[in-house]
């Protein structure tokens, strides 16, 4: 008869095999995840903040290559790489100035099921579509974000490719450059995670009487490592573990902005209040120990919001009364398009065509753009700049 440990091990192994099967079904076997998104000229103009005529003129005078045509002669649209080139040629890059501090945003809540990793990946891809250089750091040993980026943390990622060699008691890496991986998005990189990253928690817990000083050293080390890397990016997004452990504390101290996703349910609201109370105490202790914690902004965002559910509306009203302007006004709506995309290990921004109806996809994408655009505005405000002007504003100018 199998022991309990054997039974759990069998379940874990069966689960890992199924994840690998799903991954292979989501994108071709023996291949990496691809990006097949094409952007039409009208959407391209809107993203670039210019008119379609300006794009066509740049193509006609040779400054921009025209997009390839399909067999029937129709333009098939621009790739993400094309869009980045267009931004450079037309002077439409939103990148920060060298003197601007990169935004290092921790997406954190200790309550599970609030869509933390979904928010992280959609936020990364939103910033990518807008033309920013993005680094995502998966600090959670459960590695959901790593999986959504197309890597299987059990089969594709080793401990040596995570934060572990940098944060361990006996580090083998002096900086974080070793861990940065390219993703299908040309302007999004990833530091992946896997289950073995949790060994850092064990090591630091076993540090004995020197634990406090070792802990403080690790906090400062992660912050410095991320600051060094951030020089090459506009936005760094951190996905910490959903628990108050060593890595979570190090991440919270390394970030310069905090985004707290929460669902519109009473348990999620109560759990988030507990999270904020705990954060308040911990930050006080960190500051007392000489470890600085400072955020350019702290915001809560309501995720998985169903506007047709009266209970959601009631809880959101409670959130508004409690958190005031710290709660972002536009929630992320619960959408079948997000769920269907996640089943394919994708975000809505990676879909080359709607999974459900075109109307559902358009409504979901518009909501994500508006909700996540609120965070872009906070970042740009921190740089002393407003959001890029849209085409309509430019035409009226």
């Amino acid at each position: 008869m199998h022991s309990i440990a054997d039974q759990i091990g069998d379940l874990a192994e069966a689960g890992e095999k199924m994840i690998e099967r799903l991954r292979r079904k989501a994108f071709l076997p023996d291949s990496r995840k691809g990006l097949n998104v094409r952007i039409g000229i009208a959407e391209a103009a809107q993203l670039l903040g210019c008119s379609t005529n300006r794009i066509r003129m740049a193509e006609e005078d040779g400054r921009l290559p025209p997009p390839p045509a399909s067999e029937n002669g129709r333009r098939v649209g621009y790739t993400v790489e094309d869009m980045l080139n267009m931004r450079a040629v037309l002077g439409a890059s939103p990148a920060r100035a060298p003197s601007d501090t990169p935004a290092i945003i921790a997406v954190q809540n200790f309550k599970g099921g609030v869509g933390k990793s979904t928010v992280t990946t959609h936020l990364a891809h939103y910033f990518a579509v807008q033309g920013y250089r993005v680094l995502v750091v998966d600090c959670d040993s459960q590695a959901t974000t790593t999986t959504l980026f197309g890597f299987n943390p059990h089969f594709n990622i080793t401990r040596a490719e995570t934060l572990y060699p940098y944060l361990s008691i006996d580090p083998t890496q002096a900086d974080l450059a070793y861990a940065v991986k390219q993703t299908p998005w040309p302007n999004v990189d990833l530091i992946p995670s896997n289950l073995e990253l949790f060994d850092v928690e064990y090591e630091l817990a076993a540090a004995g009487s020197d634990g406090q000083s070792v802990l403080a050293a690790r906090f400062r080390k992660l912050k410095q490592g991320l600051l060094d890397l951030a020089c090459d990016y506009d936005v760094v997004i951190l996905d910490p573990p959903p628990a108050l452990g060593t890595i979570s504390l190090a991440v919270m101290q390394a970030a310069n902005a905090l985004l707290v996703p929460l669902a519109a349910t009473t348990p999620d609201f109560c759990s988030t209040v507990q999270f904020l109370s705990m954060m308040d105490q911990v930050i006080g202790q960190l500051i007392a120990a000489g470890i600085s914690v400072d955020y350019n902004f702290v915001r809560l965002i309501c995720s998985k919001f169903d506007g047709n559910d009266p209970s959601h509306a009631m809880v959101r009203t409670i959130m508004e009364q409690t958190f005031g302007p710290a709660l972002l006004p536009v929630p992320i709506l619960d959408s079948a398009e997000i769920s269907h995309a996640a089943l394919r290990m994708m975000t809505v921004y990676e879909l080359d065509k709607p999974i459900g109806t075109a109307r559902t996809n358009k409504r979901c994408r518009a909501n994500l753009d508006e909700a996540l655009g609120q965070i872009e505005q906070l970042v740009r405000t921190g740089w002393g700049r407003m959001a890029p002007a849209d085409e309509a504003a430019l035409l009226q100018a």
Side-chain angles (χ1 to χ4, degrees):
M1 183 177 177
H2 277 1
S3 68
I4 291 295
D6 289 335
Q7 291 179 45
I8 293 174
D10 290 345
L11 291 171
E13 184 178 354
E16 291 291 352
K17 288 179 178 177
M18 180 54 72
I19 289 174
E20 183 62 12
R21 284 177 61 189
L22 290 170
R23 187 187 72 84
R24 288 176 178 270
K25 192 171 183 179
F27 28 99
L28 296 176
D30 303 318
S31 72
R32 286 284 305 280
K33 182 177 183 179
L35 186 64
N36 301 314
V37 174
R38 291 282 179 169
I39 299 166
I41 191 167
E43 184 183 355
Q46 185 178 17
L47 287 168
L48 295 170
C50 69
S51 67
T52 55
N53 284 339
R54 188 179 178 202
I55 296 175
R56 293 185 191 279
M57 287 172 60
E59 291 174 353
E60 289 171 4
D61 64 23
R63 285 179 294 145
L64 289 176
S70 62
E71 292 180 0
N72 61 12
R74 293 185 59 185
R75 294 159 65 111
V76 297
Y78 304 98
T79 65
V80 174
E81 288 94 336
D82 292 336
M83 290 296 299
L84 293 174
N85 179 54
M86 291 162 76
R87 287 184 182 279
V89 170
L90 299 178
S93 172
R96 63 183 176 84
S99 58
D100 295 328
T101 302
I104 304 178
I105 307 169
V107 181
Q108 178 63 301
N109 196 328
F110 295 162
K111 172 74 168 64
V114 297
K116 183 167 64 72
S117 296
T118 302
V119 170
T120 297
T121 47
H122 276 87
L123 184 61
H125 291 165
Y126 168 82
F127 274 116
V129 170
Q130 303 303 319
Y132 297 87
R133 300 165 299 167
V134 184
L135 173 66
V136 179
V137 186
D138 193 351
C139 313
D140 184 357
S141 58
Q142 295 180 62
T144 305
T145 293
T146 297
T147 302
L148 287 170
F149 269 98
F151 299 93
N152 186 312
H154 184 73
F155 292 105
N156 303 143
I157 304 299
T158 66
R159 183 166 72 174
E161 296 172 284
T162 71
L163 292 172
Y164 179 84
Y166 183 75
L167 290 180
S168 68
I169 290 292
D170 297 310
T172 56
Q173 296 285 355
D175 59 53
L176 287 171
Y178 73 92
V180 176
K181 289 187 177 297
Q182 292 182 326
T183 76
W185 293 79
N187 54 338
V188 181
D189 291 335
L190 171 74
I191 293 182
S193 177
N194 73 1
L195 194 59
E196 292 179 279
L197 180 59
F198 195 75
D199 289 349
V200 170
E201 304 278 2
Y202 284 124
E203 290 181 5
L204 293 174
S209 59
D210 292 332
Q212 204 63 32
S213 59
V214 170
L215 214 58
R218 287 300 170 276
F219 287 0
R220 294 189 177 95
K221 186 175 184 182
L222 180 60
K223 183 171 187 174
Q224 188 57 54
L226 290 173
L227 284 173
D228 291 343
L229 273 186
C231 295
D232 296 326
Y233 301 93
D234 303 306
V235 180
V236 179
I237 305 174
L238 311 177
D239 185 9
L244 189 61
T246 302
I247 294 176
S248 285
L249 290 174
V251 167
M252 304 311 289
Q253 191 264 339
N256 59 26
L258 176 62
L259 180 66
V260 182
L262 72 161
T265 70
T266 304
D268 279 282
F269 173 77
C270 295
S271 175
T272 300
V273 171
Q274 291 297 316
F275 162 69
L276 294 170
S277 297
M278 201 177 300
M279 279 294 300
D280 178 47
Q281 295 175 30
V282 168
I283 288 174
Q285 293 170 358
L286 290 174
I287 292 173
I291 301 170
S292 64
V293 180
D294 189 26
Y295 298 138
N296 295 327
F297 65 83
V298 176
R299 292 293 187 277
L300 298 93
I301 187 165
C302 183
S303 60
K304 300 184 176 182
F305 181 72
D306 184 352
N308 297 317
D309 187 332
S311 69
H312 279 216
M314 182 182 70
V315 174
R316 179 161 171 79
T317 299
I318 293 171
M319 290 179 191
E320 291 169 346
Q321 293 172 348
T322 305
F323 302 126
L327 177 70
L328 292 172
V330 180
I332 296 175
L333 300 178
D334 192 16
S335 173
E337 202 73 356
I338 294 176
S339 302
H340 291 155
L343 187 62
R344 292 162 172 77
M345 299 183 187
M346 302 172 79
T347 68
V348 171
Y349 291 105
E350 293 179 289
L351 300 177
D352 56 350
K353 59 183 178 181
I355 297 175
T357 66
R359 183 180 177 185
T360 299
N361 178 275
K362 186 176 181 180
R363 186 170 59 237
C364 177
R365 174 68 182 267
N367 166 247
L368 285 169
D369 286 347
E370 187 179 9
L372 301 177
Q374 299 170 120
I375 301 153
E376 179 193 10
Q377 183 57 61
L378 289 168
V379 169
R380 294 185 67 82
T381 300
W383 295 339
R385 283 181 278 166
M386 298 298 290
D390 61 20
E391 181 183 359
L394 284 173
L395 291 175
Q396 291 171 4

